[in-house]
Amino acid sequence: MRQFFFPRRPLPRRTLLFCHAIIQLGLLVAGGLWLAPRTPWLADTTWLAAWPPLALGAGMLLLAMIGVRLLAELWLLPYHLAGLRNGFAPGDVVTRSFDRRPAVHDAERAWTSSARPVSMDDEVIGSARVARPASTRRQGGDEPTLTPGDGEAEPASRHEPRL
């Protein structure tokens, strides 16, 4: 719904107003051309006999013109609500200067939390937790077999579920 009320690129205001004016004038001309031949001035009838179709036609013309006006107001809604919106417009671009980015590697110019030095020695690597040493490769084939024992003992901590 937000995209409906605040489209990223609404049509320009003058385009919307020009289309609205052309449609209103077109409706006025079409309604006048439909109503004129039904009046007693151009037809051989009396006002008493001509008023029901004239009232219906004028009412329909008025409803169509009001509908076009409401549609034009809906098209112009982003322009009406632009002043009421807090913050930036959808087209505004906010950037930071290059010097103030968090990835600055100079400790004096960095504005984020203080950087901690990381040593690249072996002291940062912990000892590996190995349950059993790696098995040596078999001489016969490169593929392991599907038998669970195959000459090696199962580790005591592993228990298979039973059904």
Side-chain angles (χ1 to χ4, degrees):
M1 200 64 160
R2 181 179 177 190
Q3 183 64 24
F4 181 72
F5 288 126
F6 297 113
R8 295 215 184 272
R9 290 199 158 274
L11 286 173
R13 185 183 296 219
R14 70 180 133 197
T15 302
L16 295 173
L17 293 176
F18 177 75
C19 291
H20 174 251
I22 293 298
I23 293 171
Q24 289 283 23
L25 286 175
L27 279 173
L28 193 61
V29 168
L33 289 175
W34 187 85
L35 287 173
R38 289 166 176 74
T39 62
W41 299 314
L42 298 177
D44 192 20
T45 184
T46 64
W47 282 105
L48 190 62
W51 80 263
L54 288 176
L56 182 65
M60 293 299 287
L61 175 64
L62 207 59
L63 280 176
M65 291 179 83
I66 290 172
V68 168
R69 175 59 189 247
L70 290 175
L71 188 62
E73 289 295 329
L74 185 64
W75 288 339
L76 290 169
L77 190 63
Y79 295 105
H80 294 313
L81 296 179
L84 301 175
R85 183 176 38 212
N86 293 332
F88 297 103
D92 291 340
V93 177
V94 179
T95 60
R96 284 192 233 162
S97 66
F98 187 76
D99 297 337
R100 298 287 292 170
R101 296 195 183 245
V104 174
H105 298 293
D106 187 9
E108 289 80 32
R109 296 178 62 200
W111 60 277
T112 57
S113 62
S114 62
R116 292 177 289 171
V118 177
S119 64
M120 299 305 288
D121 299 334
D122 288 337
E123 66 189 31
V124 294
I125 299 174
S127 61
R129 289 181 274 172
V130 178
R132 65 180 178 179
S135 63
T136 59
R137 241 188 171 153
R138 292 178 183 78
Q139 301 287 359
D142 293 339
E143 296 280 334
T145 61
L146 296 176
T147 57
D150 201 27
E152 296 180 14
E154 285 281 326
S157 63
R158 182 173 173 180
H159 298 286
E160 295 291 329
R162 295 184 182 177
L163 298 174

mmCIF file of all heavy atoms in Angstrom, residues 10-58:
data_model
loop_
_atom_site.group_PDB
_atom_site.id
_atom_site.type_symbol
_atom_site.label_atom_id
_atom_site.label_comp_id
_atom_site.label_asym_id
_atom_site.label_seq_id
_atom_site.Cartn_x
_atom_site.Cartn_y
_atom_site.Cartn_z
ATOM 1 N N PRO A 10 6.247 9.211 -9.509
ATOM 2 C CA PRO A 10 4.902 9.561 -9.983
ATOM 3 C C PRO A 10 4.994 10.409 -11.248
ATOM 4 O O PRO A 10 6.030 11.019 -11.539
ATOM 5 C CB PRO A 10 4.317 10.365 -8.822
ATOM 6 C CG PRO A 10 5.485 10.869 -8.073
ATOM 7 C CD PRO A 10 6.598 9.886 -8.273
ATOM 8 N N LEU A 11 3.921 10.422 -11.993
ATOM 9 C CA LEU A 11 3.883 11.266 -13.194
ATOM 10 C C LEU A 11 4.048 12.724 -12.784
ATOM 11 O O LEU A 11 3.625 13.122 -11.700
ATOM 12 C CB LEU A 11 2.555 11.080 -13.924
ATOM 13 C CG LEU A 11 2.390 9.768 -14.695
ATOM 14 C CD1 LEU A 11 0.970 9.661 -15.213
ATOM 15 C CD2 LEU A 11 3.372 9.674 -15.824
ATOM 16 N N PRO A 12 4.636 13.529 -13.653
ATOM 17 C CA PRO A 12 4.771 14.955 -13.308
ATOM 18 C C PRO A 12 3.406 15.600 -13.096
ATOM 19 O O PRO A 12 2.408 15.221 -13.702
ATOM 20 C CB PRO A 12 5.481 15.553 -14.518
ATOM 21 C CG PRO A 12 6.161 14.412 -15.167
ATOM 22 C CD PRO A 12 5.324 13.196 -14.881
ATOM 23 N N ARG A 13 3.384 16.588 -12.235
ATOM 24 C CA ARG A 13 2.127 17.250 -11.875
ATOM 25 C C ARG A 13 1.458 17.898 -13.080
ATOM 26 O O ARG A 13 0.252 17.808 -13.260
ATOM 27 C CB ARG A 13 2.403 18.284 -10.793
ATOM 28 C CG ARG A 13 1.153 18.936 -10.265
ATOM 29 C CD ARG A 13 1.492 19.978 -9.260
ATOM 30 N NE ARG A 13 2.117 19.346 -8.119
ATOM 31 C CZ ARG A 13 1.887 19.703 -6.863
ATOM 32 N NH1 ARG A 13 1.098 20.686 -6.598
ATOM 33 N NH2 ARG A 13 2.467 19.090 -5.880
ATOM 34 N N ARG A 14 2.248 18.539 -13.921
ATOM 35 C CA ARG A 14 1.635 19.216 -15.076
ATOM 36 C C ARG A 14 1.031 18.212 -16.059
ATOM 37 O O ARG A 14 0.026 18.496 -16.696
ATOM 38 C CB ARG A 14 2.634 20.132 -15.746
ATOM 39 C CG ARG A 14 3.713 19.423 -16.465
ATOM 40 C CD ARG A 14 4.685 20.341 -17.103
ATOM 41 N NE ARG A 14 5.995 19.818 -16.736
ATOM 42 C CZ ARG A 14 7.102 20.471 -16.806
ATOM 43 N NH1 ARG A 14 7.098 21.701 -17.202
ATOM 44 N NH2 ARG A 14 8.221 19.918 -16.473
ATOM 45 N N THR A 15 1.641 17.014 -16.158
ATOM 46 C CA THR A 15 1.059 15.983 -17.028
ATOM 47 C C THR A 15 -0.285 15.526 -16.476
ATOM 48 O O THR A 15 -1.256 15.368 -17.230
ATOM 49 C CB THR A 15 2.021 14.785 -17.136
ATOM 50 O OG1 THR A 15 3.273 15.244 -17.638
ATOM 51 C CG2 THR A 15 1.476 13.711 -18.041
ATOM 52 N N LEU A 16 -0.342 15.308 -15.167
ATOM 53 C CA LEU A 16 -1.600 14.880 -14.556
ATOM 54 C C LEU A 16 -2.683 15.944 -14.699
ATOM 55 O O LEU A 16 -3.842 15.639 -15.020
ATOM 56 C CB LEU A 16 -1.375 14.553 -13.084
ATOM 57 C CG LEU A 16 -0.462 13.358 -12.789
ATOM 58 C CD1 LEU A 16 -0.204 13.259 -11.301
ATOM 59 C CD2 LEU A 16 -1.089 12.093 -13.310
ATOM 60 N N LEU A 17 -2.322 17.205 -14.468
ATOM 61 C CA LEU A 17 -3.315 18.279 -14.594
ATOM 62 C C LEU A 17 -3.756 18.469 -16.040
ATOM 63 O O LEU A 17 -4.939 18.751 -16.296
ATOM 64 C CB LEU A 17 -2.749 19.574 -14.021
ATOM 65 C CG LEU A 17 -2.527 19.572 -12.502
ATOM 66 C CD1 LEU A 17 -1.874 20.870 -12.059
ATOM 67 C CD2 LEU A 17 -3.823 19.333 -11.777
ATOM 68 N N PHE A 18 -2.836 18.310 -16.986
ATOM 69 C CA PHE A 18 -3.206 18.442 -18.396
ATOM 70 C C PHE A 18 -4.164 17.323 -18.808
ATOM 71 O O PHE A 18 -5.184 17.584 -19.459
ATOM 72 C CB PHE A 18 -1.942 18.408 -19.267
ATOM 73 C CG PHE A 18 -2.228 18.468 -20.733
ATOM 74 C CD1 PHE A 18 -2.602 19.667 -21.331
ATOM 75 C CD2 PHE A 18 -2.132 17.338 -21.521
ATOM 76 C CE1 PHE A 18 -2.883 19.732 -22.678
ATOM 77 C CE2 PHE A 18 -2.406 17.393 -22.873
ATOM 78 C CZ PHE A 18 -2.782 18.597 -23.452
ATOM 79 N N CYS A 19 -3.862 16.086 -18.408
ATOM 80 C CA CYS A 19 -4.760 14.963 -18.722
ATOM 81 C C CYS A 19 -6.126 15.155 -18.064
ATOM 82 O O CYS A 19 -7.168 14.874 -18.687
ATOM 83 C CB CYS A 19 -4.131 13.653 -18.271
ATOM 84 S SG CYS A 19 -2.699 13.158 -19.223
ATOM 85 N N HIS A 20 -6.126 15.636 -16.827
ATOM 86 C CA HIS A 20 -7.398 15.887 -16.148
ATOM 87 C C HIS A 20 -8.222 16.935 -16.878
ATOM 88 O O HIS A 20 -9.428 16.762 -17.077
ATOM 89 C CB HIS A 20 -7.112 16.333 -14.705
ATOM 90 C CG HIS A 20 -8.327 16.745 -13.958
ATOM 91 N ND1 HIS A 20 -8.580 18.052 -13.624
ATOM 92 C CD2 HIS A 20 -9.366 16.032 -13.482
ATOM 93 C CE1 HIS A 20 -9.735 18.114 -12.984
ATOM 94 N NE2 HIS A 20 -10.219 16.908 -12.872
ATOM 95 N N ALA A 21 -7.586 18.013 -17.293
ATOM 96 C CA ALA A 21 -8.318 19.071 -18.004
ATOM 97 C C ALA A 21 -8.850 18.577 -19.346
ATOM 98 O O ALA A 21 -10.001 18.889 -19.714
ATOM 99 C CB ALA A 21 -7.403 20.280 -18.207
ATOM 100 N N ILE A 22 -8.069 17.803 -20.074
ATOM 101 C CA ILE A 22 -8.518 17.288 -21.378
ATOM 102 C C ILE A 22 -9.693 16.327 -21.197
ATOM 103 O O ILE A 22 -10.677 16.388 -21.956
ATOM 104 C CB ILE A 22 -7.343 16.604 -22.109
ATOM 105 C CG1 ILE A 22 -6.288 17.636 -22.490
ATOM 106 C CG2 ILE A 22 -7.810 15.843 -23.337
ATOM 107 C CD1 ILE A 22 -6.776 18.699 -23.450
ATOM 108 N N ILE A 23 -9.621 15.462 -20.206
ATOM 109 C CA ILE A 23 -10.722 14.519 -19.970
ATOM 110 C C ILE A 23 -11.981 15.265 -19.541
ATOM 111 O O ILE A 23 -13.086 14.946 -20.006
ATOM 112 C CB ILE A 23 -10.304 13.462 -18.929
ATOM 113 C CG1 ILE A 23 -9.206 12.575 -19.508
ATOM 114 C CG2 ILE A 23 -11.481 12.621 -18.487
ATOM 115 C CD1 ILE A 23 -8.579 11.639 -18.497
ATOM 116 N N GLN A 24 -11.836 16.276 -18.678
ATOM 117 C CA GLN A 24 -13.011 17.049 -18.244
ATOM 118 C C GLN A 24 -13.644 17.788 -19.425
ATOM 119 O O GLN A 24 -14.873 17.813 -19.564
ATOM 120 C CB GLN A 24 -12.628 18.044 -17.143
ATOM 121 C CG GLN A 24 -12.297 17.407 -15.811
ATOM 122 C CD GLN A 24 -13.525 16.962 -15.032
ATOM 123 O OE1 GLN A 24 -14.588 16.730 -15.580
ATOM 124 N NE2 GLN A 24 -13.358 16.835 -13.736
ATOM 125 N N LEU A 25 -12.798 18.406 -20.259
ATOM 126 C CA LEU A 25 -13.349 19.096 -21.442
ATOM 127 C C LEU A 25 -14.004 18.109 -22.403
ATOM 128 O O LEU A 25 -15.053 18.412 -22.991
ATOM 129 C CB LEU A 25 -12.247 19.883 -22.147
ATOM 130 C CG LEU A 25 -11.796 21.161 -21.448
ATOM 131 C CD1 LEU A 25 -10.611 21.778 -22.180
ATOM 132 C CD2 LEU A 25 -12.943 22.148 -21.356
ATOM 133 N N GLY A 26 -13.403 16.938 -22.566
ATOM 134 C CA GLY A 26 -14.016 15.917 -23.424
ATOM 135 C C GLY A 26 -15.366 15.470 -22.899
ATOM 136 O O GLY A 26 -16.323 15.293 -23.675
ATOM 137 N N LEU A 27 -15.467 15.278 -21.584
ATOM 138 C CA LEU A 27 -16.756 14.910 -20.998
ATOM 139 C C LEU A 27 -17.790 16.014 -21.170
ATOM 140 O O LEU A 27 -18.965 15.745 -21.474
ATOM 141 C CB LEU A 27 -16.588 14.607 -19.505
ATOM 142 C CG LEU A 27 -16.062 13.227 -19.136
ATOM 143 C CD1 LEU A 27 -15.800 13.144 -17.646
ATOM 144 C CD2 LEU A 27 -17.063 12.152 -19.542
ATOM 145 N N LEU A 28 -17.359 17.255 -20.981
ATOM 146 C CA LEU A 28 -18.281 18.381 -21.129
ATOM 147 C C LEU A 28 -18.797 18.493 -22.559
ATOM 148 O O LEU A 28 -20.003 18.697 -22.782
ATOM 149 C CB LEU A 28 -17.587 19.673 -20.698
ATOM 150 C CG LEU A 28 -18.471 20.889 -20.488
ATOM 151 C CD1 LEU A 28 -19.478 20.625 -19.388
ATOM 152 C CD2 LEU A 28 -17.622 22.093 -20.156
ATOM 153 N N VAL A 29 -17.913 18.330 -23.529
ATOM 154 C CA VAL A 29 -18.326 18.410 -24.941
ATOM 155 C C VAL A 29 -19.231 17.234 -25.297
ATOM 156 O O VAL A 29 -20.278 17.416 -25.944
ATOM 157 C CB VAL A 29 -17.084 18.468 -25.855
ATOM 158 C CG1 VAL A 29 -17.456 18.252 -27.313
ATOM 159 C CG2 VAL A 29 -16.366 19.792 -25.682
ATOM 160 N N ALA A 30 -18.863 16.018 -24.875
ATOM 161 C CA ALA A 30 -19.686 14.844 -25.192
ATOM 162 C C ALA A 30 -21.058 14.953 -24.527
ATOM 163 O O ALA A 30 -22.087 14.648 -25.148
ATOM 164 C CB ALA A 30 -18.977 13.579 -24.735
ATOM 165 N N GLY A 31 -21.068 15.385 -23.248
ATOM 166 C CA GLY A 31 -22.361 15.550 -22.572
ATOM 167 C C GLY A 31 -23.208 16.637 -23.211
ATOM 168 O O GLY A 31 -24.424 16.487 -23.353
ATOM 169 N N GLY A 32 -22.577 17.749 -23.594
ATOM 170 C CA GLY A 32 -23.334 18.819 -24.257
ATOM 171 C C GLY A 32 -23.884 18.380 -25.608
ATOM 172 O O GLY A 32 -25.019 18.724 -25.966
ATOM 173 N N LEU A 33 -23.080 17.609 -26.362
ATOM 174 C CA LEU A 33 -23.565 17.123 -27.657
ATOM 175 C C LEU A 33 -24.667 16.085 -27.493
ATOM 176 O O LEU A 33 -25.525 15.936 -28.383
ATOM 177 C CB LEU A 33 -22.404 16.529 -28.469
ATOM 178 C CG LEU A 33 -21.387 17.538 -28.998
ATOM 179 C CD1 LEU A 33 -20.231 16.826 -29.683
ATOM 180 C CD2 LEU A 33 -22.053 18.515 -29.956
ATOM 181 N N TRP A 34 -24.669 15.361 -26.396
ATOM 182 C CA TRP A 34 -25.751 14.410 -26.171
ATOM 183 C C TRP A 34 -27.008 15.115 -25.666
ATOM 184 O O TRP A 34 -28.128 14.733 -26.021
ATOM 185 C CB TRP A 34 -25.298 13.362 -25.150
ATOM 186 C CG TRP A 34 -26.283 12.249 -24.979
ATOM 187 C CD1 TRP A 34 -26.377 11.132 -25.740
ATOM 188 C CD2 TRP A 34 -27.324 12.159 -24.006
ATOM 189 N NE1 TRP A 34 -27.396 10.342 -25.300
ATOM 190 C CE2 TRP A 34 -28.003 10.955 -24.220
ATOM 191 C CE3 TRP A 34 -27.746 12.986 -22.961
ATOM 192 C CZ2 TRP A 34 -29.070 10.546 -23.441
ATOM 193 C CZ3 TRP A 34 -28.811 12.570 -22.195
ATOM 194 C CH2 TRP A 34 -29.474 11.356 -22.437
ATOM 195 N N LEU A 35 -26.829 16.148 -24.827
ATOM 196 C CA LEU A 35 -27.994 16.822 -24.250
ATOM 197 C C LEU A 35 -28.641 17.824 -25.199
ATOM 198 O O LEU A 35 -29.868 18.028 -25.160
ATOM 199 C CB LEU A 35 -27.595 17.538 -22.951
ATOM 200 C CG LEU A 35 -27.319 16.660 -21.735
ATOM 201 C CD1 LEU A 35 -26.784 17.497 -20.604
ATOM 202 C CD2 LEU A 35 -28.570 15.922 -21.310
ATOM 203 N N ALA A 36 -27.866 18.471 -26.028
ATOM 204 C CA ALA A 36 -28.398 19.552 -26.875
ATOM 205 C C ALA A 36 -29.538 19.108 -27.790
ATOM 206 O O ALA A 36 -30.569 19.798 -27.865
ATOM 207 C CB ALA A 36 -27.266 20.182 -27.674
ATOM 208 N N PRO A 37 -29.431 17.998 -28.505
ATOM 209 C CA PRO A 37 -30.553 17.629 -29.387
ATOM 210 C C PRO A 37 -31.826 17.225 -28.650
ATOM 211 O O PRO A 37 -32.902 17.151 -29.250
ATOM 212 C CB PRO A 37 -30.015 16.431 -30.175
ATOM 213 C CG PRO A 37 -28.594 16.304 -29.889
ATOM 214 C CD PRO A 37 -28.285 17.135 -28.710
ATOM 215 N N ARG A 38 -31.748 16.996 -27.365
ATOM 216 C CA ARG A 38 -32.921 16.594 -26.595
ATOM 217 C C ARG A 38 -33.626 17.782 -25.934
ATOM 218 O O ARG A 38 -34.633 17.590 -25.259
ATOM 219 C CB ARG A 38 -32.497 15.573 -25.537
ATOM 220 C CG ARG A 38 -32.136 14.237 -26.170
ATOM 221 C CD ARG A 38 -31.399 13.328 -25.234
ATOM 222 N NE ARG A 38 -31.127 12.019 -25.794
ATOM 223 C CZ ARG A 38 -30.220 11.764 -26.721
ATOM 224 N NH1 ARG A 38 -29.493 12.730 -27.208
ATOM 225 N NH2 ARG A 38 -30.045 10.539 -27.172
ATOM 226 N N THR A 39 -33.091 18.962 -26.075
ATOM 227 C CA THR A 39 -33.727 20.158 -25.493
ATOM 228 C C THR A 39 -34.850 20.648 -26.404
ATOM 229 O O THR A 39 -34.840 20.395 -27.611
ATOM 230 C CB THR A 39 -32.696 21.277 -25.306
ATOM 231 O OG1 THR A 39 -32.171 21.638 -26.569
ATOM 232 C CG2 THR A 39 -31.601 20.857 -24.353
ATOM 233 N N PRO A 40 -35.801 21.367 -25.838
ATOM 234 C CA PRO A 40 -36.878 21.906 -26.677
ATOM 235 C C PRO A 40 -36.383 22.960 -27.676
ATOM 236 O O PRO A 40 -37.080 23.269 -28.633
ATOM 237 C CB PRO A 40 -37.847 22.524 -25.668
ATOM 238 C CG PRO A 40 -37.580 21.830 -24.398
ATOM 239 C CD PRO A 40 -36.129 21.482 -24.429
ATOM 240 N N TRP A 41 -35.159 23.491 -27.473
ATOM 241 C CA TRP A 41 -34.659 24.487 -28.419
ATOM 242 C C TRP A 41 -34.314 23.852 -29.759
ATOM 243 O O TRP A 41 -34.486 24.475 -30.797
ATOM 244 C CB TRP A 41 -33.413 25.179 -27.879
ATOM 245 C CG TRP A 41 -33.641 25.930 -26.598
ATOM 246 C CD1 TRP A 41 -34.680 26.764 -26.328
ATOM 247 C CD2 TRP A 41 -32.817 25.908 -25.441
ATOM 248 N NE1 TRP A 41 -34.566 27.278 -25.063
ATOM 249 C CE2 TRP A 41 -33.414 26.767 -24.491
ATOM 250 C CE3 TRP A 41 -31.651 25.277 -25.084
ATOM 251 C CZ2 TRP A 41 -32.882 27.001 -23.233
ATOM 252 C CZ3 TRP A 41 -31.120 25.510 -23.834
ATOM 253 C CH2 TRP A 41 -31.733 26.366 -22.929
ATOM 254 N N LEU A 42 -33.817 22.598 -29.745
ATOM 255 C CA LEU A 42 -33.411 21.943 -30.991
ATOM 256 C C LEU A 42 -34.341 20.809 -31.388
ATOM 257 O O LEU A 42 -34.239 20.302 -32.509
ATOM 258 C CB LEU A 42 -31.980 21.401 -30.866
ATOM 259 C CG LEU A 42 -30.893 22.443 -30.612
ATOM 260 C CD1 LEU A 42 -29.549 21.775 -30.442
ATOM 261 C CD2 LEU A 42 -30.836 23.433 -31.777
ATOM 262 N N ALA A 43 -35.215 20.366 -30.514
ATOM 263 C CA ALA A 43 -36.153 19.282 -30.828
ATOM 264 C C ALA A 43 -37.581 19.817 -30.753
ATOM 265 O O ALA A 43 -37.853 20.816 -30.104
ATOM 266 C CB ALA A 43 -35.966 18.141 -29.842
ATOM 267 N N ASP A 44 -38.455 19.122 -31.421
ATOM 268 C CA ASP A 44 -39.859 19.517 -31.425
ATOM 269 C C ASP A 44 -40.567 18.813 -30.259
ATOM 270 O O ASP A 44 -41.301 17.851 -30.444
ATOM 271 C CB ASP A 44 -40.504 19.133 -32.754
ATOM 272 C CG ASP A 44 -41.863 19.771 -32.918
ATOM 273 O OD1 ASP A 44 -42.133 20.765 -32.227
ATOM 274 O OD2 ASP A 44 -42.639 19.259 -33.737
ATOM 275 N N THR A 45 -40.305 19.321 -29.053
ATOM 276 C CA THR A 45 -40.889 18.751 -27.844
ATOM 277 C C THR A 45 -41.077 19.862 -26.807
ATOM 278 O O THR A 45 -40.612 20.984 -26.992
ATOM 279 C CB THR A 45 -39.982 17.628 -27.274
ATOM 280 O OG1 THR A 45 -40.624 17.048 -26.153
ATOM 281 C CG2 THR A 45 -38.636 18.146 -26.876
ATOM 282 N N THR A 46 -41.739 19.543 -25.744
ATOM 283 C CA THR A 46 -41.940 20.518 -24.668
ATOM 284 C C THR A 46 -40.985 20.196 -23.511
ATOM 285 O O THR A 46 -40.434 19.106 -23.428
ATOM 286 C CB THR A 46 -43.385 20.456 -24.153
ATOM 287 O OG1 THR A 46 -43.608 19.170 -23.582
ATOM 288 C CG2 THR A 46 -44.383 20.717 -25.269
ATOM 289 N N TRP A 47 -40.838 21.185 -22.599
ATOM 290 C CA TRP A 47 -39.971 20.968 -21.449
ATOM 291 C C TRP A 47 -40.531 19.897 -20.537
ATOM 292 O O TRP A 47 -39.788 19.161 -19.900
ATOM 293 C CB TRP A 47 -39.780 22.265 -20.665
ATOM 294 C CG TRP A 47 -38.801 23.206 -21.311
ATOM 295 C CD1 TRP A 47 -39.108 24.347 -21.985
ATOM 296 C CD2 TRP A 47 -37.380 23.072 -21.345
ATOM 297 N NE1 TRP A 47 -37.961 24.935 -22.449
ATOM 298 C CE2 TRP A 47 -36.876 24.165 -22.051
ATOM 299 C CE3 TRP A 47 -36.482 22.147 -20.850
ATOM 300 C CZ2 TRP A 47 -35.531 24.360 -22.279
ATOM 301 C CZ3 TRP A 47 -35.139 22.344 -21.073
ATOM 302 C CH2 TRP A 47 -34.669 23.433 -21.777
ATOM 303 N N LEU A 48 -41.839 19.802 -20.475
ATOM 304 C CA LEU A 48 -42.477 18.812 -19.626
ATOM 305 C C LEU A 48 -42.151 17.390 -20.088
ATOM 306 O O LEU A 48 -41.913 16.502 -19.271
ATOM 307 C CB LEU A 48 -43.992 19.035 -19.613
ATOM 308 C CG LEU A 48 -44.784 18.231 -18.592
ATOM 309 C CD1 LEU A 48 -44.351 18.583 -17.183
ATOM 310 C CD2 LEU A 48 -46.260 18.468 -18.780
ATOM 311 N N ALA A 49 -42.089 17.180 -21.382
ATOM 312 C CA ALA A 49 -41.779 15.841 -21.907
ATOM 313 C C ALA A 49 -40.273 15.587 -21.955
ATOM 314 O O ALA A 49 -39.831 14.440 -21.926
ATOM 315 C CB ALA A 49 -42.374 15.687 -23.309
ATOM 316 N N ALA A 50 -39.452 16.639 -22.032
ATOM 317 C CA ALA A 50 -38.006 16.463 -22.226
ATOM 318 C C ALA A 50 -37.219 16.422 -20.920
ATOM 319 O O ALA A 50 -36.054 16.016 -20.933
ATOM 320 C CB ALA A 50 -37.468 17.596 -23.097
ATOM 321 N N TRP A 51 -37.811 16.795 -19.797
ATOM 322 C CA TRP A 51 -37.000 16.913 -18.587
ATOM 323 C C TRP A 51 -36.478 15.591 -18.028
ATOM 324 O O TRP A 51 -35.363 15.562 -17.508
ATOM 325 C CB TRP A 51 -37.728 17.716 -17.508
ATOM 326 C CG TRP A 51 -38.763 16.963 -16.732
ATOM 327 C CD1 TRP A 51 -40.092 16.954 -16.978
ATOM 328 C CD2 TRP A 51 -38.537 16.148 -15.588
ATOM 329 N NE1 TRP A 51 -40.737 16.180 -16.080
ATOM 330 C CE2 TRP A 51 -39.787 15.655 -15.191
ATOM 331 C CE3 TRP A 51 -37.440 15.768 -14.857
ATOM 332 C CZ2 TRP A 51 -39.965 14.798 -14.122
ATOM 333 C CZ3 TRP A 51 -37.603 14.919 -13.784
ATOM 334 C CH2 TRP A 51 -38.856 14.445 -13.417
ATOM 335 N N PRO A 52 -37.198 14.432 -18.098
ATOM 336 C CA PRO A 52 -36.600 13.204 -17.525
ATOM 337 C C PRO A 52 -35.291 12.782 -18.220
ATOM 338 O O PRO A 52 -34.296 12.530 -17.531
ATOM 339 C CB PRO A 52 -37.693 12.148 -17.687
ATOM 340 C CG PRO A 52 -38.964 12.911 -17.758
ATOM 341 C CD PRO A 52 -38.608 14.190 -18.444
ATOM 342 N N PRO A 53 -35.216 12.710 -19.554
ATOM 343 C CA PRO A 53 -33.923 12.329 -20.145
ATOM 344 C C PRO A 53 -32.843 13.408 -19.958
ATOM 345 O O PRO A 53 -31.662 13.086 -19.811
ATOM 346 C CB PRO A 53 -34.209 12.121 -21.633
ATOM 347 C CG PRO A 53 -35.601 12.520 -21.872
ATOM 348 C CD PRO A 53 -36.265 12.754 -20.566
ATOM 349 N N LEU A 54 -33.266 14.690 -19.909
ATOM 350 C CA LEU A 54 -32.288 15.760 -19.683
ATOM 351 C C LEU A 54 -31.722 15.690 -18.254
ATOM 352 O O LEU A 54 -30.508 15.872 -18.049
ATOM 353 C CB LEU A 54 -32.920 17.130 -19.933
ATOM 354 C CG LEU A 54 -33.220 17.487 -21.387
ATOM 355 C CD1 LEU A 54 -33.937 18.819 -21.468
ATOM 356 C CD2 LEU A 54 -31.947 17.503 -22.197
ATOM 357 N N ALA A 55 -32.573 15.424 -17.278
ATOM 358 C CA ALA A 55 -32.101 15.320 -15.892
ATOM 359 C C ALA A 55 -31.200 14.093 -15.725
ATOM 360 O O ALA A 55 -30.145 14.170 -15.056
ATOM 361 C CB ALA A 55 -33.292 15.237 -14.943
ATOM 362 N N LEU A 56 -31.589 12.979 -16.345
ATOM 363 C CA LEU A 56 -30.760 11.782 -16.257
ATOM 364 C C LEU A 56 -29.398 12.008 -16.933
ATOM 365 O O LEU A 56 -28.353 11.653 -16.395
ATOM 366 C CB LEU A 56 -31.491 10.604 -16.893
ATOM 367 C CG LEU A 56 -30.763 9.263 -16.837
ATOM 368 C CD1 LEU A 56 -30.603 8.796 -15.407
ATOM 369 C CD2 LEU A 56 -31.508 8.238 -17.662
ATOM 370 N N GLY A 57 -29.394 12.621 -18.105
ATOM 371 C CA GLY A 57 -28.145 12.896 -18.820
ATOM 372 C C GLY A 57 -27.259 13.881 -18.058
ATOM 373 O O GLY A 57 -26.038 13.693 -17.975
ATOM 374 N N ALA A 58 -27.856 14.938 -17.500
ATOM 375 C CA ALA A 58 -27.068 15.918 -16.732
ATOM 376 C C ALA A 58 -26.519 15.288 -15.463
ATOM 377 O O ALA A 58 -25.360 15.550 -15.080
ATOM 378 C CB ALA A 58 -27.939 17.129 -16.403
#
